[in-house]
Amino acid sequence: MNSERLTEIEALLIGKTIEGEVEAVFRWGVIVNLGLSRVGLIDALYVDDGDNYQVGDRISGHLDSFDEQKDKFIFRPPGQIPLSERLRRAGEK
């Protein structure tokens, strides 16, 4: 993470649970307005079959990191394990 691209407050929020509002829903993920300088992304790998995100929904989640290539915060629903861990576990099966 390049902390120069984020405000001090944004950098401190990494690893915390925060709230946001769903802005858009795509096959590849959900865009969430976090009230920060950039939006959050819930990767499609975090979206389970029973999840039903709708534009305007208020949701809370874990602010995992900032992805410089995507220029977005990586956001995951509460209770979901980090993506790297999910992929590792899937590879063990």
Side-chain angles (χ1 to χ4, degrees), residues 42-54:
I42 300 174
D43 191 283
L45 293 172
Y46 285 127
V47 180
D48 292 329
D49 291 339
D51 292 342
N52 185 21
Y53 293 102
Q54 300 291 322

Side-chain angles (χ1 to χ4, degrees), residues 1-18 32-40 62-67 71-75:
M1 175 179 69
N2 183 351
S3 58
E4 294 173 12
R5 296 191 53 155
L6 303 178
T7 68
E8 186 176 332
I9 292 172
E10 289 172 335
L12 291 172
L13 288 173
I14 301 292
K16 307 281 190 234
T17 298
I18 63 173
V32 182
N33 180 342
L34 302 170
L36 303 174
S37 64
R38 289 156 186 93
V39 296
H62 189 80
L63 196 61
D64 266 353
S65 60
F66 178 73
D67 186 314
D71 199 34
K72 292 176 178 52
F73 288 99
I74 303 304
F75 194 63

Side-chain angles (χ1 to χ4, degrees), residues 22-31 41-44 47 53:
V22 174
E23 280 192 347
V25 180
F26 301 99
R27 287 181 303 123
W28 46 265
V30 179
I31 300 296
L41 169 66
I42 300 174
D43 191 283
V47 180
Y53 293 102

Side-chain angles (χ1 to χ4, degrees), residues 57-93:
D57 285 351
R58 294 286 305 164
I59 60 172
S60 65
H62 189 80
L63 196 61
D64 266 353
S65 60
F66 178 73
D67 186 314
E68 289 185 22
Q69 289 182 325
K70 294 178 182 173
D71 199 34
K72 292 176 178 52
F73 288 99
I74 303 304
F75 194 63
R76 67 179 158 90
Q80 290 280 19
I81 59 173
L83 188 56
S84 60
E85 179 66 13
R86 287 184 89 173
L87 294 173
R88 185 187 66 74
R89 290 181 184 181
E92 291 176 352
K93 292 181 180 179

